[in-house]
């Protein structure tokens, strides 16, 4: 093995995070007797640092006879990447005590920990001033970003204003994204307009500027502002950029404006797998399953081989939303026919789909073949049994779940209680209630307490249902509706109306579910006039 080829190979391994290949090269280095070469040692140190193998990087560092600033920077970066800024700063202090002067990359390495901590950024700032790197644009830009992402965007802005004479587009983007990240979208937009007003090529808004702004808009659901950003993109003359188009797509979908999202998607010249998947999954999340399937058909018609796992998971979810189980089964056949390796999310979607269409045998077969299962997998199977009234199978699966490393969660408990309620299995429901109290692993929450109310009500034990309701620390619309419906369903219309009056006294505004429960209670008890009064109140 030649000395000059090793660093190049290790650099490639570091770039592609090929740990096993890099380790085999390291073994060849040891066999070849090249371990003591300082250039190779630095390359090994950099490789292990980039692959997040901090201890192996430290072993290489400790064995080095001569440590220059490159070696010190690599080990500092290794600790920062492993989110251990304390050790990174400790190594920086050791470096200074050994008389080694830092370079700009050393200071940048101290800022790699995520999320950045305000005190640490202040320390780097002080080091930059002391070592003469406070005028380095790349260092200052990194500090701008770190200050903003540490939750101190005002400090970032103050530093930005101080460096007025040598702004570049990265400087602007750091502050724009900082304001967007903390939710101050108006200030982000104001900065973008200032950039456009300056007119210089060096500070013209680029794809990163608008992507950061759109990300903030998307996170906070500000559709009106998002449309304004879209207008600014068109005015700026920015050439079509896939990242910006995808960000626009995500923004409109997250804000619920599916029509605008479809317009953006239709105008994309070369939609890739990410764009297709984003469009389909976004439509499903907005309960536009029909539109999602139309987009999927266009994808198939384009002749592209569909092999994105996320795409299949979203399409299967769309089929389930619309009850198109034959179509979902045909998509399953497509996956098998093309020998596409599916991940956990697709397997979970298949379990859910077959369970919802009543094919519990197929659903269980897929579940049994899964090598890895998470809480979604178990709950999907539990939901299938609960929905189809298979009480014994649901409890058997729950026992099986408890014998694994998967801990039941609140959703598992709610599903079991729903299974008990559907067949009036009071004793089974009491056992679940006892499990909640005694196990200590299920956090009491509104959904669990409401499921207990519903179970006891449907099993005829209104006293226990009321006790569960009365002990709830906080109640929502569903819990009020459950206790009203419980009393109404057993002919206790007067009590149900009294509870409804108590609900109104809380100041909450009744919704359709509450009205349905109260009207149903009046119906069961023959309370026609009261029902008409409540019906009239719905319009008032």
């Amino acid at each position: 093995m030649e000395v000059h080829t090793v660093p190049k190979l290790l650099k490639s391994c570091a770039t592609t995070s090929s740990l096993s290949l890099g380790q085999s090269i390291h073994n060849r280095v040891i066999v070849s007797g090249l371990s003591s070469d300082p250039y190779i040692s630095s390359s090994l140190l950099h490789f292990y640092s980039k692959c997040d193998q901090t201890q192996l990087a430290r072993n290489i560092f400790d064995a080095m006879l001569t440590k220059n600033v490159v070696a010190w920077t690599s080990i500092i970066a290794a600790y920062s990447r492993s989110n251990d800024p304390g050790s990174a700063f400790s190594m920086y202090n050791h470096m200074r005590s050994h008389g080694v002067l830092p370079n700009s990359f050393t200071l940048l390495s101290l800022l790699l920990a995520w999320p950045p901590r305000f005190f640490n950024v202040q320390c780097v700032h002080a080091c930059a001033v002391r070592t003469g790197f406070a005028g380095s644009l790349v260092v200052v830009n990194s500090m701008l970003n770190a200050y903003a992402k540490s939750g101190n965007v005002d400090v970032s802005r103050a530093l930005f204003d101080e460096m007025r004479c040598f702004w570049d587009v990265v400087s602007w983007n750091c502050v724009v994204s900082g304001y967007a990240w903390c939710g101050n979208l108006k200030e982000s937009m104001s900065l973008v307009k200032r950039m456009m007003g300056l007119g210089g090529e060096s500070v013209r808004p680029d794809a990163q500027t608008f992507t950061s702004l759109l990300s903030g808009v998307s996170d906070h659901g500000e559709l009106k502002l998002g449309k304004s950003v879209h207008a600014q993109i068109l005015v700026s003359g920015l050439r079509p950029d896939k990242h910006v188009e995808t960000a626009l797509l995500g923004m409109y979908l997250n804000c619920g404006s599916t029509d605008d999202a479809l317009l953006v998607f239709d105008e994309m010249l070369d939609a890739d797998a990410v764009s297709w998947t984003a469009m389909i999954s976004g439509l499903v999340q907005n309960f536009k399953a029909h539109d999602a399937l139309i987009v999927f058909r266009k994808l198939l018609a384009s002749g592209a081989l569909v092999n994105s796992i996320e795409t299949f998971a979203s399409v299967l979810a769309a089929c389930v939303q619309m009850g198109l189980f034959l179509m979902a089964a045909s998509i399953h056949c497509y996956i098998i026919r093309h020998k596409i390796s599916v991940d956990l999310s697709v397997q979970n979607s298949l379990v859910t789909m077959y369970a919802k269409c009543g094919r519990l045998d197929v659903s269980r077969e897929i579940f049994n073949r899964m090598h890895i299962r998470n809480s979604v997998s178990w709950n999907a199977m539990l939901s299938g049994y609960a929905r189809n009234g298979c009480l014994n199978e649901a409890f058997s699966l729950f026992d099986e779940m408890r014998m694994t490393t998967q801990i039941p969660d609140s959703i598992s408990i709610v599903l079991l209680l729903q299974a008990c309620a559907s067949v009036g299995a009071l004793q089974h429901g009491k056992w679940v209630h006892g499990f909640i109290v005694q196990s200590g692993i299920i956090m009491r929450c509104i959904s669990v307490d409401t499921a207990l109310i519903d179970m006891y009500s449907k099993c005829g034990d209104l006293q226990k249902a009321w006790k569960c309701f009365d002990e709830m620390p906080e109640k929502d619309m569903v819990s009020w509706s459950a206790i009203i419906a419980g009393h109404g369903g057993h002919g206790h219309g007067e009590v149900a109306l009294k509870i409804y009056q108590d609900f109104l006294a809380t100041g909450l505004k009744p919704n359709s579910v509450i009205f349905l429960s109260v009207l149903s209670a009046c119906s069961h008890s023959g309370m026609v006039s009261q029902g008409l009064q409540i019906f009239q109140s719905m319009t008032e």
Side-chain angles (χ1 to χ4, degrees), residues 148-466:
K149 297 303 164 60
S150 70
N152 292 272
V153 70
D154 291 338
V155 180
S156 179
R157 178 60 180 271
L159 178 59
F160 175 77
D161 290 339
E162 286 178 11
M163 57 182 284
R164 184 183 300 271
C165 58
F166 62 110
W167 285 328
D168 69 354
V169 69
V170 177
S171 316
W172 285 89
N173 286 347
C174 288
V175 187
V176 168
S177 65
Y179 277 118
W181 188 76
C182 73
N184 193 342
L185 300 174
K186 289 185 178 178
E187 189 59 31
S188 282
M189 191 66 175
S190 174
L191 283 167
V192 172
K193 288 178 179 177
R194 276 184 64 193
M195 288 177 75
M196 296 177 71
L198 291 174
E201 286 294 326
S202 61
V203 292
R204 182 185 293 275
D206 61 5
Q208 182 60 46
T209 314
F210 290 114
T211 301
S212 300
L213 188 50
L214 287 167
S215 176
V217 171
S218 179
D219 290 341
H220 294 85
E222 295 280 353
L223 177 59
K224 187 176 179 181
L225 187 57
K227 289 187 174 184
S228 180
V229 175
H230 193 174
Q232 290 293 334
I233 293 170
L234 298 175
V235 169
S236 71
L238 188 71
R239 284 182 294 178
D241 181 276
K242 195 164 289 184
H243 296 292
V244 175
E245 289 173 331
T246 304
L248 274 170
L249 198 63
M251 182 274 293
Y252 279 125
L253 289 169
N254 283 353
C255 292
S257 184
T258 53
D259 290 340
D260 288 313
L262 284 166
L263 286 174
V264 171
F265 183 75
D266 289 339
E267 289 175 1
M268 293 176 72
L269 299 176
D270 186 23
D272 58 8
V274 175
S275 306
W276 284 101
T277 302
M279 190 70 244
I280 294 169
S281 64
L283 288 169
V284 173
Q285 288 163 14
N286 281 283
F287 302 100
K288 298 278 188 177
H290 181 261
D291 291 331
L293 292 176
I294 290 174
V295 173
F296 180 64
R297 286 195 184 97
K298 288 181 180 178
L299 172 58
L300 293 177
S302 70
L305 177 64
V306 187
N307 56 10
S308 170
I309 303 304
E310 292 81 5
T311 305
F312 286 116
S314 298
V315 172
L316 287 169
C319 292
V320 170
Q321 270 188 26
M322 297 187 68
L324 302 174
F325 300 116
L326 285 176
M327 180 179 286
S330 69
I331 291 169
H332 189 190
C333 293
Y334 180 94
I335 293 170
I336 295 170
R337 189 166 61 250
H338 289 85
K339 299 179 180 178
I340 297 169
S341 178
V342 296
D343 69 351
L344 189 58
S345 64
V346 175
Q347 291 174 322
N348 288 340
S349 296
L350 288 168
V351 170
T352 302
M353 182 272 293
Y354 281 113
K356 282 191 174 182
C357 68
R359 291 301 306 272
L360 290 173
D361 53 339
V362 181
S363 185
R364 186 58 192 258
E365 185 178 352
I366 295 170
F367 178 83
N368 289 339
R369 289 183 178 181
M370 294 171 69
H371 299 296
I372 299 172
R373 300 173 185 140
N374 60 7
S375 61
V376 177
S377 318
W378 289 95
N379 290 337
M381 199 67 240
L382 270 177
S383 178
Y385 285 136
R387 185 180 292 104
N388 289 277
C390 302
L391 187 68
N392 292 332
E393 289 84 350
F395 274 84
S396 176
L397 183 70
F398 185 73
D399 289 336
E400 187 181 337
M401 181 183 187
R402 290 166 59 202
M403 289 187 288
T404 68
T405 56
Q406 183 64 55
I407 300 173
D409 58 15
S410 59
I411 298 174
S412 313
I413 296 300
V414 168
L415 290 169
L416 271 185
L417 290 169
Q418 287 174 351
C420 297
S422 67
V423 296
L426 180 60
Q427 294 306 314
H428 285 78
K430 285 183 175 180
W431 181 90
V432 177
H433 194 175
F435 176 82
I436 296 169
V437 175
Q438 294 171 15
S439 68
I441 62 174
I442 304 297
M443 294 293 293
R444 293 296 290 269
C445 59
I446 291 179
S447 61
V448 171
D449 289 334
T450 302
L452 282 168
I453 295 167
D454 183 62
M455 182 275 296
Y456 279 122
S457 296
K458 288 180 178 175
C459 292
D461 195 338
L462 288 178
Q463 187 175 357
K464 268 293 181 85
W466 178 258

Side-chain angles (χ1 to χ4, degrees), residues 84-97:
D84 185 4
S87 296
F89 277 90
S90 176
M91 293 304 294
Y92 177 82
N93 291 332
H94 283 311
M95 180 189 78
R96 294 307 309 272
S97 66

Side-chain angles (χ1 to χ4, degrees), residues 496-509:
L497 283 179
K498 172 64 172 62
I499 297 171
Y500 176 62
Q501 294 302 319
D502 293 339
F503 162 77
L504 293 177
T506 64
L508 292 172
K509 186 177 181 181

Side-chain angles (χ1 to χ4, degrees), residues 79-86 89 109-122 124 142-143 145-152 181:
Y79 281 117
S80 288
R81 284 195 189 93
S82 63
N83 215 17
D84 185 4
F89 277 90
S109 297
L110 289 168
L111 294 171
L112 291 175
W114 191 262
R117 300 171 190 172
F118 181 54
F119 177 74
N120 292 341
V121 185
Q122 286 181 308
V124 174
S142 295
M143 289 193 296
N145 184 58
Y147 272 130
K149 297 303 164 60
S150 70
N152 292 272
W181 188 76

Side-chain angles (χ1 to χ4, degrees), residues 506-518:
T506 64
L508 292 172
K509 186 177 181 181
N511 61 8
S512 58
V513 179
I514 291 286
F515 279 124
L516 184 62
S517 298
V518 180

